[in-house]
């Protein structure tokens, strides 16, 4: 609920902004409106409160909450022998390292090492790092649903920070093992075993979903919600990869549609459909209020690569 409700209210606030309402008018706009099945409602008689600042509001929402990672990250992280994990502090002995400008690349063709990430006693995904290049990223489990996707947000942020610190992907992978569980991202247990998969695709197969990336050509359909294209459902021409690509200009509507289509693809995996069979499965179906629809007359198109489709989405 905490994952989906913000999508509803974000969309409403964007609509209020387009309608020319100021922030306070937007705040009061939905008071007494019917309850949304995912976003909830503001009761008609709800008193309008005031907080001194956003931090005070956070305390009101989560009284006494203390970030379990706050003190962990203020300590100087070191390896068991006392060597600083931050390579910049030992550059003379370890030699130069090419530091990514932002995040580590999110895909690789080589083997990967990974740790399971546990949230509320359930494995929701994997933090992985390439053995042979500078790639590292998060892979959620399809059966973890929104919980797994939501958990990936803080892990990608941590990887970005690790890259800025000059850590190699494998150093970043091991940095948070044994850290306290984050209420959103979960934790890598202290006794977790570091494992290796022969490829990123092999790791993705552990998630119970089609791989969400490919270097090959892809076929795709536009997904339309309320008359607007919010993204594209795609499938690889030569591999069993498929996913939903949201258009950046679709905002919260695109992200909401992503949840629907990824759940549908997860169900298609269970039905043993190939990615191309899954691509055609929902063409002409009625429009879902959150996910939209692939129009019956939509033309199946092909892009030379997933990157080329991303360029189309950004047009």
């Amino acid at each position: 609920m905490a994952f989906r409700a913000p999508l509803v209210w974000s969309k409403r606030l964007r609509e209020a902004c387009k309608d020319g309402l100021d922030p306070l008018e937007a705040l009061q706009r939905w008071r007494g409106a019917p309850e949304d099945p995912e976003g909830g409602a503001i009761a008609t008689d709800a008193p309008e409160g005031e907080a001194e600042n956003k931090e005070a509001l956070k305390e009101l929402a989560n009284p006494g909450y203390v970030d379990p990672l706050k003190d962990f990250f203020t300590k100087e992280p070191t390896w068991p022998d006392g060597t600083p994990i931050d390579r910049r502090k030992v550059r003379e002995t370890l030699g130069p390292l090419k530091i990514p400008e932002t995040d580590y690349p999110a895909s690789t063709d080589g083997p990967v090492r990974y740790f399971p990430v546990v949230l509320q006693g359930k494995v929701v995904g994997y933090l992985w790092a390439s053995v042979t290049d500078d790639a590292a990223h998060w892979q959620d489990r399809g059966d973890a649903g929104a919980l797994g996707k939501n958990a990936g947000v803080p892990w990608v942020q941590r990887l970005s920070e690790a890259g800025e610190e000059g850590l190699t992907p494998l150093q970043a992978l091991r940095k948070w093992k044994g850290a306290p569980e984050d209420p959103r991202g979960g934790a890598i247990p202290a006794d977790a075993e570091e494992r290796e998969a022969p490829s990123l695709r092999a790791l993705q197969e552990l998630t119970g979903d089609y791989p969400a990336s490919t270097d090959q050509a892809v076929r795709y359909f536009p997904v339309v919600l309320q008359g607007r294209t919010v993204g594209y459902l795609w499938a690889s021409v030569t591999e069993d990869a498929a996913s939903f690509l949201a258009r950046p200009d679709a905002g919260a509507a695109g992200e909401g549609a992503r949840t629907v289509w990824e759940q549908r693809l997860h169900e298609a995996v269970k039905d043993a459909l190939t990615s191309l069979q899954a691509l055609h499965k929902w063409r002409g179906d009625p429009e879902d209020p959150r996910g939209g629809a692939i129009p019956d007359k939509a033309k199946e198109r092909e892009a030379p690569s997933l990157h080329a489709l991303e360029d189309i989405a950004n047009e």
Side-chain angles (χ1 to χ4, degrees), residues 236-252:
S236 172
V237 175
T238 58
E239 301 175 334
D240 216 20
S243 191
F244 175 83
L245 178 64
R247 287 186 61 89
D249 59 8

Side-chain angles (χ1 to χ4, degrees), residues 2-283:
F3 174 73
R4 293 176 177 173
L7 297 178
V8 175
W9 289 100
S10 176
K11 180 180 179 181
R12 287 178 170 179
L13 289 172
R14 292 167 74 91
E15 292 172 351
C17 183
K18 290 180 180 179
D19 292 343
L21 275 64
D22 65 37
L24 288 178
E25 289 174 329
L27 175 67
Q28 299 160 0
R29 183 176 191 175
W30 295 279
R31 186 176 182 182
E35 182 171 318
D36 182 270
E38 293 186 330
I42 300 173
T44 304
D45 58 351
E48 180 178 314
E50 182 172 322
E52 182 178 354
N53 51 43
K54 191 174 181 180
E55 291 303 314
L57 181 59
K58 288 182 179 179
E59 174 62 23
L60 179 65
N62 299 279
Y65 173 74
V66 178
D67 185 352
L69 296 178
K70 182 177 180 181
D71 294 335
F72 180 81
F73 288 109
T74 59
K75 300 176 182 178
E76 178 62 48
T78 62
W79 297 112
D81 63 0
T83 302
I85 289 178
D86 188 345
R87 286 179 60 110
R88 294 174 300 178
K89 301 182 183 302
V90 289
R91 188 170 297 280
E92 293 182 1
T93 57
L94 294 180
L97 169 69
K98 180 182 178 182
I99 302 174
E101 293 182 1
T102 51
D103 299 347
Y104 303 100
S107 63
T108 180
D109 295 325
V112 298
R113 293 182 184 170
Y114 63 93
F115 279 122
V117 173
V118 178
L119 177 62
Q120 300 173 11
K122 178 181 180 181
V123 177
V124 293
Y126 305 93
L127 188 68
W128 64 264
S130 172
V131 177
T132 58
D133 56 37
D134 287 337
H137 213 259
W138 163 263
Q139 178 62 52
D140 57 274
R141 284 189 60 91
D143 56 8
L147 198 64
K149 298 186 182 304
N150 196 27
V153 176
W155 286 104
V156 172
Q157 180 60 40
R158 289 172 178 176
L159 287 174
S160 296
E161 295 170 356
E164 293 174 358
E165 292 174 12
L167 304 189
T168 67
L170 289 175
Q171 288 173 333
L173 174 68
R174 297 159 182 156
K175 180 174 183 178
W176 297 282
K177 181 179 179 180
E181 180 169 313
D182 180 81
R184 182 181 187 185
I188 298 173
D191 59 352
E193 178 183 353
E194 180 178 322
R195 298 185 178 182
E196 183 169 318
S199 66
L200 178 56
R201 181 172 182 177
L203 174 60
Q204 290 170 333
E205 288 175 353
L206 294 176
T207 70
D209 280 330
Y210 301 107
S213 63
T214 179
D215 295 327
Q216 307 301 313
V218 298
R219 293 178 184 169
Y220 64 94
F221 281 119
V223 174
V224 178
L225 178 62
Q226 298 179 359
R228 178 187 182 190
T229 299
V230 294
Y232 305 92
L233 187 68
W234 64 264
S236 172
V237 175
T238 58
E239 301 175 334
D240 216 20
S243 191
F244 175 83
L245 178 64
R247 287 186 61 89
D249 59 8
E255 293 306 311
R258 184 201 305 277
T259 302
V260 173
W261 287 98
E262 291 186 345
Q263 179 58 40
R264 287 179 171 180
L265 288 171
H266 181 59
E267 294 169 356
V269 170
K270 291 182 178 179
D271 292 339
L273 301 184
T274 67
S275 58
L276 286 175
Q277 287 173 330
L279 177 67
H280 299 105
K281 181 176 183 180
W282 299 280
R283 183 179 179 182

